[in-house]
């Protein structure tokens, strides 16, 4: 199992962040690049979660961040 991602720059930002609101259950995904632009690459995910605010339900600090591995596009395809 790869090392857990603790800050935005981990794993060369080669992942997708899933943000889940604990309050309303809304789930969305974002790229670490987007968050790093505002918060900086050295920001721990825990801080990111605290900073996230859902515009819909105004819940603050209720976001759960999960790093998802983004499947790399294959450079080759299996021959049929
Ligand atoms: Zn919400």
């Amino acid at each position: 199992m790869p090392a857990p991602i603790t800050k935005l720059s981990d794993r060369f930002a080669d992942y997708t962040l899933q943000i889940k609101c604990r309050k309303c259950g809304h789930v969305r995904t974002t790229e670490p690049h987007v968050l790093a632009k505002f918060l900086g690459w050295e920001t721990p995910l825990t801080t990111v979660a605290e900073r996230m605010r859902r515009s819909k339900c105004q819940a603050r600090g209720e976001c759960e961040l999960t790093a998802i591995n983004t499947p790399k596009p294959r450079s080759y395809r299996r021959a049929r």
Side-chain angles (χ1 to χ4, degrees):
M1 198 167 162
I5 293 171
T6 56
K7 61 181 190 317
L8 286 176
S9 61
D10 279 1
R11 225 180 281 173
F12 307 102
D14 191 18
Y15 59 90
T16 299
L17 269 179
Q18 187 185 73
I19 303 159
K20 187 182 179 181
C21 176
R22 288 198 198 104
K23 202 172 173 188
C24 69
H26 181 84
V27 177
R28 70 185 179 98
T29 55
T30 190
E31 298 294 316
H33 305 81
V34 178
L35 297 170
K37 223 189 274 181
F38 298 104
L39 304 168
W41 282 111
E42 298 305 309
T43 309
L45 290 193
T46 49
T47 306
V48 175
E50 283 165 16
R51 296 285 206 91
M52 296 298 296
R53 192 213 292 253
R54 289 258 305 106
S55 52
K56 204 173 172 184
C57 68
Q58 300 293 320
R60 202 186 172 95
E62 295 287 342
C63 288
E64 203 173 272
L65 296 188
T66 314
I68 309 165
N69 285 316
T70 38
K72 287 249 176 65
R74 304 247 172 203
S75 53
Y76 61 92
R77 288 187 184 272
R78 262 180 77 166
R80 281 192 214 173

